[in-house]
Amino acid sequence: SSSLSLLFASRMVKISVVADNLKTMTNAEKRGRRQVMLRPSSKVMVKFLQQMMKHGYIGEFEIIDDHRAGKIVVDLNGRINKCGVISPRYDVQVGDIEQWVVNLLPSRQFGKIILTTSMGIMDHDEARRRGTGGKIIGFFY
């Protein structure tokens, strides 16, 4: 039976890199870890982490190039309560951002929704300032 389970293990497909990594990070944070290794790395993942770092939800992170998909080591600081992705990546217009904030975040004071826009990946406040909508990637608070 072990060879059978091995067969299935090799067939398991990563659906969403970002979703998996954010889940891993939330779990590590819940367990009180200081660091967590995320893999594989992706451009979107790096941009997401940069936003989290900018707002102080994580410490530094380091991208490790292993000549494969890459790994990211993130320093946690205990500030993440939850982070996750929104799948599918819904289209959000500037006017609708407020409704998403109300639905996803616990309060207006903290937490960010990350959007991918024609001006790059940014949080919902910046998108609102720049007057642009986009597709929603995920959130953290």
Side-chain angles (χ1 to χ4, degrees):
S1 70
S2 63
S3 61
L4 187 69
S5 64
L6 253 170
L7 183 74
F8 283 116
S10 62
R11 293 250 173 108
M12 249 180 81
V13 179
K14 263 275 157 73
I15 303 296
S16 165
V17 172
V18 181
D20 266 17
N21 284 340
L22 291 182
K23 197 58 156 174
T24 306
M25 218 155 56
T26 307
N27 291 343
E29 186 84 49
K30 278 185 187 146
R31 295 195 59 182
R33 293 282 166 84
R34 303 305 306 150
Q35 273 191 330
V36 61
M37 183 185 282
L38 307 176
R39 59 186 194 88
S41 161
S42 76
K43 281 195 241 173
V44 173
M45 197 60 230
V46 171
K47 295 267 191 242
F48 202 99
L49 289 170
Q50 278 168 350
Q51 287 291 334
M52 290 181 86
M53 191 165 85
K54 187 172 112 185
H55 298 294
Y57 281 82
I58 58 174
E60 307 269 294
F61 64 91
E62 185 182 358
I63 299 159
I64 299 164
D65 178 23
D66 54 3
H67 300 293
R68 292 181 192 79
K71 295 184 172 87
I72 309 174
V73 175
V74 182
D75 293 342
L76 299 172
N77 56 14
R79 297 234 181 94
I80 303 170
N81 294 312
K82 185 154 192 221
C83 54
V85 295
I86 301 299
S87 180
R89 289 182 180 169
Y90 291 106
D91 282 320
V92 183
Q93 294 169 331
V94 188
D96 305 340
I97 292 178
E98 190 50 48
Q99 195 49 54
W100 280 96
V101 170
V102 171
N103 292 347
L104 288 175
L105 304 178
S107 94
R108 250 192 208 85
Q109 273 69 45
F110 64 98
K112 297 284 174 203
I113 294 175
I114 302 300
L115 303 165
T116 171
T117 70
S118 52
M119 302 176 192
I121 292 178
M122 58 184 75
D123 62 65
H124 68 272
D125 288 333
E126 192 182 341
R128 209 185 270 149
R129 272 200 307 277
R130 292 188 177 194
T132 181
K135 290 189 186 313
I136 194 161
I137 298 181
F139 63 92
F140 55 85
Y141 55 82

